């Protein structure tokens, strides 16, 4: 099982203010640290027109992180493809991938905020067509071996389409394990029913709210940080329509219930607790996990301490976990 870390959003929020330059400088420090600890990847996230400076241009930030590392993969989770000009994006991604020996993981999503589409002069109703055109442009661009194009999907139908196209997917950290299992199965079935395009099953990666600690006070603090991070997403207007047999993640209808559901996905505890949880995720059909630990209110020194412990106490035990077929 591959383990990455995210999501790096490069924000300066009301509760955790900092100079904008600090966020970008610390991104490079974090890239060096993750590589030294043996993590496979770091993941960045994009939004536009939000008060806190949420990163609006992922590829330059990804290129900077790649430039100070040699083995670490850097991914976008997610780049809002319908808001981009496909050919320009494809050329930029190809150049960055070529300069980093194919260590770029390009994750793309539809986007959901009206203000972003309005601000970019794009009609939201066009987003699916623009997403398809963008994917075609990226897949037709010659990029170095090793570069991966990911799709962010949230419903069984969407992940089945990704599987049928042979595209790997990344799943939200707010998904309960039951929904992760359902989506991973839909992705695999989509791939199989389409005749197994590419011959190798495309991967499923899931963001998961995991934190290693043996201290009860820190455990409670982590749950508070997780809740604060989802309050931020509620402010962004995030919701997923009910198209699944499991409960939808709707932050617009019943905020308290949605926040509780998201925070309840958190696994905070000992090394063995996390190893057991990662084993369950693997058994759900997931090939890799991105630790969702870059969260609102969590001090950098606490995050770095946790990641150092995780690298020494958990990573060696989960390297050889095999995903359920």
């Amino acid at each position: 099982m591959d383990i990455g870390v995210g999501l790096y959003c490069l924000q300066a929020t009301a509760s955790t203010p900092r100079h904008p330059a600090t966020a970008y400088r610390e991104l490079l420090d974090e890239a060096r640290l993750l590589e030294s600890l043996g993590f496979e990847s770091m993941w960045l996230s994009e939004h536009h027109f939000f008060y806190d400076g949420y990163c609006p241009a992922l590829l330059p930030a990804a290129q900077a992180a790649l430039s100070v590392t040699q083995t670490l993969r850097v991914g976008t989770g997610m780049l809002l493809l319908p808001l981009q000009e496909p050919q320009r994006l494809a050329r930029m991604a190809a150049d960055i991938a070529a300069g980093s020996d194919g260590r770029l993981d390009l994750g793309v999503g539809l986007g959901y905020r009206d203000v972003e589409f309005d601000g970019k002069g794009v009609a939201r109703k066009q987003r699916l067509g623009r997403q398809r055109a963008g994917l075609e442009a990226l897949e037709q661009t010659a990029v170095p071996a090793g570069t991966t194009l990911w799709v962010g999907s949230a419903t069984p139908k969407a992940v089945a389409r990704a599987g049928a196209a042979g595209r790997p997917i990344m799943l939200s950290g707010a998904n309960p394990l039951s929904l992760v299992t359902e989506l991973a199965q839909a992705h695999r079935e989509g791939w199989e029913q389409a005749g197994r395009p590419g011959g190798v099953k495309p991967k499923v990666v899931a963001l998961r709210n995991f934190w290693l600690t043996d201290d009860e006070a820190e455990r409670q603090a982590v749950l508070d940080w997780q809740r604060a991070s989802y309050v931020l997403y509620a402010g962004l207007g995030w919701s997923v329509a009910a198209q699944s047999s499991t409960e939808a993640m709707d932050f617009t209808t019943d905020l308290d219930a949605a926040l509780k559901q998201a925070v309840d996905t958190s696994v905070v505890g000992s090394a063995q607790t996390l190893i057991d949880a990662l084993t369950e995720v693997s058994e759900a059909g997931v090939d890799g996990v991105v630790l969702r630990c870059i969260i609102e209110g969590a001090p950098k020194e606490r995050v770095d301490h946790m990641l150092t412990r995780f690298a020494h106490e958990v990573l060696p035990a989960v390297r050889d976990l095999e995903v359920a077929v």
Side-chain angles (χ1 to χ4, degrees), residues 64-141:
L66 288 164
S67 74
V68 298
T69 55
Q70 288 75 48
T71 60
L72 185 74
R73 302 189 67 83
V74 179
T76 61
M78 295 286 169
L79 184 149
L80 305 181
L81 187 53
L83 301 180
Q84 309 288 335
E85 196 287 305
Q87 298 300 330
R88 174 181 175 277
L89 178 67
R91 291 193 299 270
M92 184 182 299
D95 287 344
I96 293 172
S100 62
D101 298 322
R103 289 187 288 126
L104 177 66
D105 283 301
L106 192 62
V108 299
L110 278 170
Y112 56 87
R113 299 179 68 226
D114 288 338
V115 67
E116 293 178 324
F117 287 89
D118 293 344
K120 293 288 186 178
V122 176
R124 179 170 170 167
K125 65 182 180 181
Q126 297 176 352
R127 65 177 186 159
L128 185 57
R130 292 177 65 90
Q131 175 90 335
R132 289 171 175 164
L135 284 169
E136 290 176 3
L138 290 169
E139 289 176 336
Q140 291 170 3
T141 301

Side-chain angles (χ1 to χ4, degrees), residues 8-325:
Y8 292 88
C9 309
L10 307 177
Q11 299 156 282
T13 64
S15 63
T16 311
R18 56 182 173 173
H19 192 283
T22 301
Y24 287 82
R25 183 173 63 250
E26 289 181 350
L27 177 71
L28 305 187
D29 295 337
E30 288 293 293
R32 296 184 185 99
L33 175 66
L34 295 182
E35 181 171 74
S36 71
L37 292 175
F39 289 96
E40 275 80 14
S41 57
M42 78 182 311
W43 291 81
L44 317 178
S45 180
E46 172 187 337
H47 274 297
H48 301 262
F49 311 118
F50 202 53
Y51 84 94
D52 61 7
Y54 204 120
C55 187
L58 292 189
L59 288 187
Q63 184 176 34
L66 288 164
S67 74
V68 298
T69 55
Q70 288 75 48
T71 60
L72 185 74
R73 302 189 67 83
V74 179
T76 61
M78 295 286 169
L79 184 149
L80 305 181
L81 187 53
L83 301 180
Q84 309 288 335
E85 196 287 305
Q87 298 300 330
R88 174 181 175 277
L89 178 67
R91 291 193 299 270
M92 184 182 299
D95 287 344
I96 293 172
S100 62
D101 298 322
R103 289 187 288 126
L104 177 66
D105 283 301
L106 192 62
V108 299
L110 278 170
Y112 56 87
R113 299 179 68 226
D114 288 338
V115 67
E116 293 178 324
F117 287 89
D118 293 344
K120 293 288 186 178
V122 176
R124 179 170 170 167
K125 65 182 180 181
Q126 297 176 352
R127 65 177 186 159
L128 185 57
R130 292 177 65 90
Q131 175 90 335
R132 289 171 175 164
L135 284 169
E136 290 176 3
L138 290 169
E139 289 176 336
Q140 291 170 3
T141 301
V143 294
T147 302
T148 304
L149 178 62
W150 298 80
V151 177
S153 300
T155 64
K157 288 183 179 179
V159 299
R161 286 196 298 268
R167 294 171 181 146
I169 58 167
M170 175 177 280
L171 304 177
S172 166
N175 291 335
L177 188 59
S178 59
L179 181 53
V180 170
T181 303
E182 180 181 350
L183 294 175
Q185 180 179 353
H187 184 256
R188 182 176 63 250
E189 289 176 352
W191 177 69
E192 291 173 346
Q193 291 170 8
R196 300 174 182 259
V200 178
K201 184 180 78 68
K203 290 187 175 182
V204 175
V205 166
L207 283 156
R208 302 307 292 163
N209 296 312
F210 288 170
W211 189 284
L212 173 60
T213 184
D214 300 308
D215 182 80
E216 180 58 26
E218 182 171 77
R219 180 180 181 278
Q220 293 303 318
V222 170
L223 296 177
D224 288 342
W225 298 335
Q226 291 287 6
R227 188 178 194 281
S229 73
Y230 284 112
V231 168
L232 251 179
Y233 277 100
L236 286 163
W238 182 43
S239 67
V240 176
Q243 299 181 28
S244 166
S245 62
T246 56
E247 188 176 353
M249 297 171 291
D250 190 346
F251 283 69
T252 59
T253 301
D254 190 339
L255 176 59
D256 288 340
L259 288 173
K260 182 181 185 303
Q261 177 180 310
V263 174
D264 283 350
T265 65
S266 302
V267 178
V268 186
S270 67
Q272 189 58 54
T273 297
L274 267 62
I275 292 168
D276 292 345
L278 286 164
T279 301
E280 287 187 331
V281 173
S282 176
E283 291 171 349
V286 172
D287 303 278
V289 164
V290 176
L291 304 179
R292 187 181 175 275
C293 59
I294 312 304
I295 48 179
E296 179 67 6
K300 181 180 184 300
E301 61 271 18
R302 296 308 306 161
V303 174
D304 291 350
H305 175 75
M306 189 278 294
L307 290 173
T308 301
R309 281 196 62 194
F310 190 101
H312 291 109
E313 299 176 36
V314 179
L315 274 185
V318 300
R319 292 285 191 201
D320 296 328
L321 283 178
E322 293 185 4
V323 64
V325 178

